[in-house]
Amino acid sequence: MLNANGVEANEYLEYMGRPLVRHEDEIYYGDLSDKFYVFMMIMSYKKVNEEKGEIPDKIMIQLLNSETKIPEKQSMLTGLAEALDFANAWLDRYNK
């Protein structure tokens, strides 16, 4: 598919060069064809203000083996930015 500039557009949103897919409170990060990918579950939200609404607060992240779907690591973090940074570091380390 081509974007508005006539350049090949990726189907998925990416973060740090890896696919990022969200469905409701679940986020999948990483390439499912790699040895590991990350599953995140938004456990709670916090209200920022009336205009901006709510943002993800508590997030459970799991590093999953792509073949077995068994968690290798798990953590509970505060904020989506922190969760994505941890997830990216795990994927860098475990998918070498």
Side-chain angles (χ1 to χ4, degrees):
M1 176 196 307
L2 299 178
N3 65 17
N5 298 323
V7 178
E8 185 73 24
N10 194 340
E11 242 180 278
Y12 300 106
L13 181 65
E14 287 188 356
Y15 178 75
M16 303 291 285
R18 293 187 170 103
L20 180 70
V21 179
R22 178 176 177 178
H23 177 70
E24 297 177 0
D25 289 340
E26 296 179 356
I27 300 170
Y28 295 88
Y29 178 53
D31 191 334
L32 298 179
S33 65
D34 286 342
K35 187 172 181 182
F36 292 95
Y37 67 94
V38 173
F39 168 74
M40 297 182 230
M41 174 68 78
I42 301 170
M43 306 302 284
S44 67
Y45 290 85
K46 70 177 180 181
K47 191 166 185 91
V48 178
N49 60 38
E50 290 300 320
E51 296 166 4
K52 294 186 180 180
E54 298 179 329
I55 61 172
D57 185 30
K58 299 292 180 198
I59 301 175
M60 183 267 306
I61 67 172
Q62 293 180 329
L63 179 70
L64 298 175
N65 183 304
S66 294
E67 290 180 16
T68 64
K69 311 296 187 255
I70 296 173
E72 183 78 20
K73 294 181 80 94
Q74 180 173 316
S75 188
M76 184 71 79
L77 300 166
T78 303
L80 188 55
E82 183 180 19
L84 285 168
D85 286 344
F86 264 77
N88 196 54
W90 284 355
L91 293 175
D92 283 346
R93 183 176 302 138
Y94 283 82
N95 282 329
K96 284 186 178 181

